[in-house]
Amino acid sequence: MPHSSSPNNVARRLRRKVQRISAIGAWRDYASNQRSLGHTVGLVPTMGALHAGHLSLFREAKSRGDIVLATIFVNPRQFNDVKDLTAYPRTPELDHTSAEAHGVDCLVEPTLEEMWPAYPNPTATTVSVRGVSDTLEGAGRPGHFDGVASVVAKLFAVTGSCRAYFGEKDFQQIAVIRQMVRDLALDVEVVSCPIVRDEDGLALSSRNVLLSLDARKKAVALSRSLLAARAESAPASELRARMREVLEGSGVEVAYADVVDPVTLVPVGDDETGERRALIAGLVDGVRLIDNAPVIVEARRG
Ligand code: PAF
């Protein structure tokens, strides 16, 4: 009794235990009960291995007053390479602690059997968002965005009306999800949140733990190449060349370094002017990393 009002005990009492759910029925009921109590549900879909980027999504959802419902599901259908799926980092214990410490109200960890009962066989229904899915990441990783759109459609279907938070590091993923929400008139407000970076500029990603010390140093070239493209406005083809030069000069195997329209993701021509998006991807000692930033393009003169 005498120590019941110590700061630690007060903090412990104030910290509500995160509710943990795995069954789809219980997840659907939780979200629907919250809405009937007048709350907005803030869905934060993740594949676990939570880092400061994910925590910023929880914070954003909290700051808007949402009941934060985070999901952790390493979705096999979005991995086009089985080695990549096997190597994907999994840190369940740390994830539970982080979710609880950062205000997640409900943590949903659905089972593979419930999400994809036929796996490894394909499900009869696939959500495929043509156009925005076909370029950049989609071109290099066939089927990736069908896997993303299919799982996110299912997360939205079970959660119901909600705000859904995504990090801008996966810029193309957000474009695909927004298009899907528009096309299917889903009752979901997509909220995109800024990229969180390490002090040296590297965009946070669950995959960063796969980098060796040497690769980690090389990986900084991704954000440096974007800085080079942002340094001065120029025609899109010059910005592409600047980014490639920085990446290749640092030993990054470039998958793409493009400047595109931020909504359609169509490559920008040299006759265009204004704010567009630079998107890059590269292999750093075998680990695929992506990054992006807004850039200003200037039409070529003469
Ligand atoms: O960005 C991710 O972690 C995944 O692509 C997502 C949105 C959770 C779907 O599996």
Side-chain angles (χ1 to χ4, degrees), residues 144-168:
H144 167 64
F145 284 120
D146 286 0
V148 170
S150 300
V151 80
V152 172
K154 188 153 181 171
L155 301 180
F156 288 175
V158 179
T159 306
S161 173
C162 64
R163 270 195 279 257
Y165 296 81
F166 297 91
E168 276 184 358

Side-chain angles (χ1 to χ4, degrees), residues 48-276:
L50 301 180
H51 51 68
H54 297 111
L55 307 184
S56 74
L57 306 181
F58 301 154
R59 241 192 332 272
E60 181 62 26
K62 270 262 151 239
S63 76
R64 292 176 184 232
D66 295 354
I67 289 293
V68 184
L69 187 157
T71 59
I72 297 183
F73 179 64
V74 182
N75 171 32
R77 289 185 62 188
Q78 68 188 77
F79 288 81
N80 57 310
D81 174 355
V82 71
K83 276 197 252 141
D84 192 22
L85 173 60
T86 313
Y88 199 81
R90 289 162 171 86
T91 55
E93 297 308 323
L94 280 174
D95 290 350
H96 298 154
T97 316
S98 286
E100 185 152 297
H102 291 87
V104 171
D105 297 287
C106 179
L107 185 62
V108 176
E109 293 162 286
T111 61
L112 181 60
E113 290 69 33
E114 278 218 275
M115 287 302 283
W116 306 131
Y119 189 81
N121 295 317
T123 42
T125 305
T126 292
V127 180
S128 199
V129 184
R130 295 277 56 92
V132 274
S133 291
D134 301 332
T135 58
L136 305 163
E137 280 304 281
R141 303 174 65 191
H144 167 64
F145 284 120
D146 286 0
V148 170
S150 300
V151 80
V152 172
K154 188 153 181 171
L155 301 180
F156 288 175
V158 179
T159 306
S161 173
C162 64
R163 270 195 279 257
Y165 296 81
F166 297 91
E168 276 184 358
K169 185 183 69 67
D170 295 295
F171 192 84
Q172 186 174 10
Q173 170 169 280
I174 297 180
V176 169
I177 292 167
R178 283 194 195 284
Q179 185 69 52
M180 174 180 82
V181 166
R182 277 196 300 275
D183 288 350
L184 301 180
L186 301 178
D187 189 7
V188 176
E189 181 191 341
V190 174
V191 180
S192 61
C193 300
I195 299 176
V196 178
R197 297 179 180 279
D198 263 343
E199 270 174 19
D200 60 5
L202 181 68
L204 295 193
S205 160
S206 301
R207 287 174 202 274
N208 292 356
V209 297
L210 304 175
L211 297 167
S212 66
L213 267 180
D214 191 40
R216 176 66 187 72
K217 284 186 199 142
K218 271 192 210 169
V220 180
L222 274 91
S223 57
R224 275 201 299 110
S225 78
L226 291 170
L227 280 178
R230 285 166 63 86
E232 246 176 276
S233 50
S237 59
E238 276 180 37
L239 298 186
R240 291 183 185 105
R242 273 186 210 168
M243 293 190 288
R244 237 172 221 284
E245 201 183 326
V246 176
L247 291 167
E248 287 171 354
S250 307
V252 176
E253 199 183 311
V254 183
Y256 55 81
D258 213 344
V259 179
V260 299
D261 178 278
V263 177
T264 62
L265 305 187
V266 170
V268 171
D270 278 352
D271 54 346
E272 294 182 44
T273 300
E275 184 171 315
R276 300 290 189 276

Side-chain angles (χ1 to χ4, degrees), residues 37-49:
L37 292 170
H39 299 303
T40 300
V41 175
L43 172 69
V44 183
T46 83
M47 295 206 296

